[in-house]
Amino acid sequence: MAAGIVMAVQVTIYLTEGDSWHHRPLHLEILKYLREENVFGAVAFHAVAGFLGRCRVHTADLVEAGGELPVVLTFVDMDEHVNRVLPKLREMAAHRLIVRENVVIEQGSFD
């Protein structure tokens, strides 16, 4: 491995805007948990259209979307840190898709 290149793990969680944890929006509760656990960086994207699983495509144009628009949450950190937070995330986002992939940090650092 070349000097300056850092290996890390990126996790992506596919949610809907209607998902909740203790009656609060799940994506916000996950971000709060990740912040408390000092995860390096995380972001939630609110989609304008998409689908999860075998459901129909939901779009922001549909007034009746009712909490079904996708929210994609992604975060990156070192493998050990990801391993520590994943059990709680699996509990919080039960029945939702969680994808983990090894990534190379090309620029920037965990400092």
Side-chain angles (χ1 to χ4, degrees):
M1 185 165 48
I5 295 179
V6 177
M7 297 301 295
V9 175
Q10 181 172 300
V11 176
T12 304
I13 306 172
Y14 295 85
L15 309 168
T16 68
E17 62 187 357
D19 288 336
S20 65
W21 177 256
H22 298 275
H23 307 290
R24 295 183 190 109
L26 180 57
H27 64 283
L28 296 178
E29 290 301 300
I30 290 175
L31 286 174
K32 178 181 169 187
Y33 169 70
L34 294 174
R35 179 71 254 150
E36 290 168 355
E37 292 297 320
N38 295 314
V39 166
F40 180 72
V43 64
F45 299 98
H46 194 146
V48 296
F51 65 94
L52 293 174
R54 307 278 185 252
C55 297
R56 70 182 182 87
V57 173
H58 296 276
T59 69
D61 296 335
L62 295 175
V63 175
E64 70 276 1
E68 294 303 319
L69 285 173
V71 174
V72 178
L73 189 143
T74 187
F75 69 95
V76 64
D77 209 323
M78 302 305 291
D79 189 52
E80 305 80 35
H81 209 165
V82 170
N83 287 336
R84 189 167 52 79
V85 299
L86 269 178
K88 180 70 172 182
L89 296 176
R90 286 186 196 110
E91 176 188 349
M92 294 174 80
H95 311 295
R96 290 298 183 203
L97 180 64
I98 299 175
V99 177
R100 172 194 179 122
E101 56 191 322
N102 294 328
V103 296
V104 175
I105 305 297
E106 292 286 340
Q107 184 170 311
S109 68
F110 287 116
D111 298 334

